[in-house]
Amino acid sequence: MSQSTITPPEQQPGAAAPTGGGSPLGNGLKQRHLSMIALGGVIGAGLFVGSGAGIAAAGPSIVLAYAASGLLVMFVMRMLGEMSAANPASGSFSVHADRAIGPWAGFTAGWMFWTLLCVGVAIEAIGAAHIMTGWFPGTPSWMWVLVFMALFCASNLGAVSHFGEFEFWFAALKIGAIGLFLGLGVLAVLGLLPGTSSPGAANLVHDGGFLPNGMDGLLVGLLASVVAYGGLETVTIAAAESRDPAKGVAKAVKTTMWRIAIVYVGSMLVIVTLLPWNDPAVTGSGPYAATLDHLGIPAAGEIMNVVILIALLSAMNANIYGSSRMAYSLVARGQGPKALGKAGGGVPRRAVLASCGFGFVTVLLSYWYPDTLFAWLLNMVGGVILIVWGFIAVSQFVLRRRLGREAPEKLVVRMWGFPYLTWVALAGVAGVLVLMALGEDTRVQVVFTGGLTVALAATGYVMQRRAAARESSRPVCPTPLR
């Protein structure tokens, strides 16, 4: 089906304007909000906790794993930044896929991402509740889940500036924590921290060497690192509600690269330099808490629990925001329930409630059916971010050529080495999916994610065909002769 037969998303009846100026959504996000959302988006619970499993599998080579997957993320964010700076939209990559590939692609990418974020809300709420029950023994976990869900649902029902302020301070606290950790770690590596001596390269080459478990361990670490990078896409969604979307997203994306290098790769290098990779505390207490304990920092475990709680609450807040805006954008393009398409006070409140509602139902499933329905949901979204990255790469390839012909002045952010690095990114995404399919522990995720992708793509294609049929059946008014 030729895309020319489909009304472009920005011209469909009821569609939200892509930029803040004519959109029903607000424009209360400032540049400082966007900068912190971009910074905070790369510092999550996956880094503080999930990286321990990657270190246990890959050993010191986890540094290479994070560097390789970080390079892929840099390419993806650069491509997404190019498209979002040229055409800011609250639906971000879903809108870009709609324009580049067809409505079915926008539908598929958008609802897949919405499902991922809503399931993410449940996972983060459960994790935060677990920390709180540890601090307040005897309190029920469901109570804390309810408190956090109510808090962030309420914050997202208010003006978008409320979300921006929450994320600003959450991100500031996370950045402060990771900055302090890196500062102490570098001093310890150099032997300049009182009470410590430099370990040199001993932990990098002993206990099996740099690749203690060979390429198999490195691949496991690579897969673990890819998951930890999720969350960066939110800044391109948020940019559409800023006062200068094109400038805001361009500035935020351009500085993402050094953040990834410092926060992720730098942290992993500090940890595996200071600690033996096979230290049980790396997976038991978490790599960051284990490192702080090794340095003799008092109450290191509780300090990291505070940081992890902040990371979880930040992710909850961002996921509710991102899912509601994605749902609103899809509905505005005729790709979802019309009831969710109303915005009041610059906020899509019905979309916020729907996203929170699905997230809360997912929490209940985790309690009622932890080994069946909830496990099924987790497997279903296991590879979603890779599918989304694939849509981003294909969309950028198509739209870059189109913009180069029709509106080159909009290319304020350009993908490096186009089209070669776009192909490299697409090959990287495909390669990680293949590795997941080959791994016994991750193969089921590929199967479930593939099933979700096929189901949504088929639904989107049917909707696209029906929309095209309705469009072609409309009477065409003849142009009067002059």
Side-chain angles (χ1 to χ4, degrees):
M1 176 64 62
S2 171
Q3 191 182 351
S4 62
T5 63
I6 306 297
T7 306
E10 65 271 26
Q11 295 176 7
Q12 290 180 3
T19 60
S23 173
L25 300 182
N27 62 351
L29 293 179
K30 302 175 183 177
Q31 183 60 51
R32 67 181 178 90
H33 293 148
L34 291 180
S35 297
M36 279 300 188
I37 289 169
L39 275 166
V42 297
I43 306 174
L47 173 65
F48 291 121
V49 181
S51 56
I55 293 172
S61 67
I62 191 68
V63 177
L64 292 181
Y66 270 87
S69 55
L71 187 63
L72 174 60
V73 174
M74 288 182 189
F75 290 161
V76 170
M77 286 304 297
R78 189 74 182 188
M79 290 185 288
L80 184 54
E82 177 185 288
M83 295 183 290
S84 297
N87 291 294
S90 60
S92 186
F93 50 82
S94 173
V95 173
H96 306 322
D98 200 319
R99 290 169 173 158
I101 307 169
W104 71 268
F107 176 91
T108 304
W111 285 116
M112 286 185 75
F113 195 69
W114 182 83
T115 305
L116 171 66
L117 294 186
C118 289
V119 173
V121 168
I123 295 170
E124 289 131 14
I126 294 166
H130 178 73
I131 293 175
M132 296 304 292
T133 54
W135 289 341
F136 301 95
T139 57
S141 180
W142 64 263
M143 181 189 76
W144 293 111
V145 170
L146 186 60
V147 167
F148 293 140
M149 290 294 294
L151 173 65
F152 292 114
C153 185
S155 74
N156 277 277
L157 288 172
V160 69
S161 57
H162 295 171
F163 161 75
E165 284 300 318
F166 265 109
E167 281 305 293
F168 178 85
W169 292 109
F170 277 147
L173 290 170
K174 288 190 291 185
I175 292 162
I178 202 74
L180 181 60
F181 174 83
L182 287 172
L184 292 173
V186 170
L187 289 175
V189 169
L190 298 175
L192 301 178
L193 192 69
T196 64
S197 57
S198 175
N203 291 321
L204 299 176
V205 296
H206 292 170
D207 296 318
F210 192 72
L211 276 165
N213 295 317
M215 291 303 297
D216 290 342
L218 178 60
L219 294 179
V220 173
L222 177 65
L223 297 178
S225 64
V226 167
V227 176
Y229 281 116
L232 283 168
E233 303 82 8
T234 303
V235 70
T236 61
I237 295 175
E241 293 183 71
S242 63
R243 294 171 186 175
D244 190 346
K247 181 180 178 181
V249 74
K251 186 174 181 179
V253 169
K254 284 180 177 179
T255 54
T256 297
M257 279 58 74
W258 62 264
R259 296 172 192 149
I260 290 175
I262 293 176
V263 171
Y264 277 89
V265 182
S267 292
M268 292 302 104
L269 184 58
V270 165
I271 291 169
V272 296
T273 301
L274 291 175
L275 287 179
W277 66 271
N278 53 2
D279 189 327
V282 170
T283 52
S285 305
Y288 288 80
T291 303
L292 293 177
D293 274 330
H294 176 74
L295 298 180
I297 306 299
E302 288 307 310
I303 292 172
M304 286 313 303
N305 273 338
V306 173
V307 175
I308 292 168
L309 178 64
I310 291 170
L312 288 167
L313 296 182
S314 172
M316 275 188 70
N317 191 38
N319 285 353
I320 291 172
Y321 170 83
S323 59
S324 65
R325 268 45 177 191
M326 182 61 73
Y328 178 76
S329 173
L330 287 160
V331 171
R333 287 176 276 143
Q335 297 177 347
K338 292 182 179 179
L340 303 183
K342 292 185 178 180
V347 178
R349 293 194 173 95
R350 293 185 181 183
V352 170
L353 291 172
S355 299
C356 290
F358 186 85
F360 196 73
V361 168
T362 307
V363 172
L364 296 178
L365 292 178
S366 74
Y367 289 120
W368 295 337
Y369 310 104
D371 299 322
T372 53
L373 288 179
F374 188 62
W376 179 75
L377 274 174
L378 290 179
N379 285 325
M380 189 171 63
V381 301
V384 162
I385 196 63
L386 290 165
I387 302 297
V388 168
W389 289 353
F391 275 117
I392 289 172
V394 175
S395 300
Q396 188 269 339
F397 182 83
V398 174
L399 292 180
R400 172 63 175 270
R401 293 181 179 277
R402 189 179 301 170
L403 282 171
R405 293 192 306 268
E406 300 172 1
E409 70 280 359
K410 288 188 174 184
L411 291 171
V412 294
V413 177
R414 291 175 180 262
M415 174 59 179
W416 312 293
F418 178 81
Y420 306 107
L421 290 185
T422 297
W423 284 112
V424 169
L426 195 56
V429 169
V432 175
L433 284 171
V434 169
L435 292 176
M436 289 181 68
L438 294 176
E440 293 184 7
D441 296 332
T442 53
R443 185 178 302 126
V444 66
Q445 295 180 12
V446 176
V447 173
F448 275 80
T449 301
L452 176 64
T453 305
V454 170
L456 286 175
T459 303
Y461 184 71
V462 169
M463 293 177 64
Q464 177 177 319
R465 291 292 298 267
R466 288 177 178 175
R470 288 194 300 268
E471 187 73 20
S472 62
S473 64
R474 290 179 182 176
V476 178
C477 297
T479 303
L481 297 176
R482 298 192 178 190

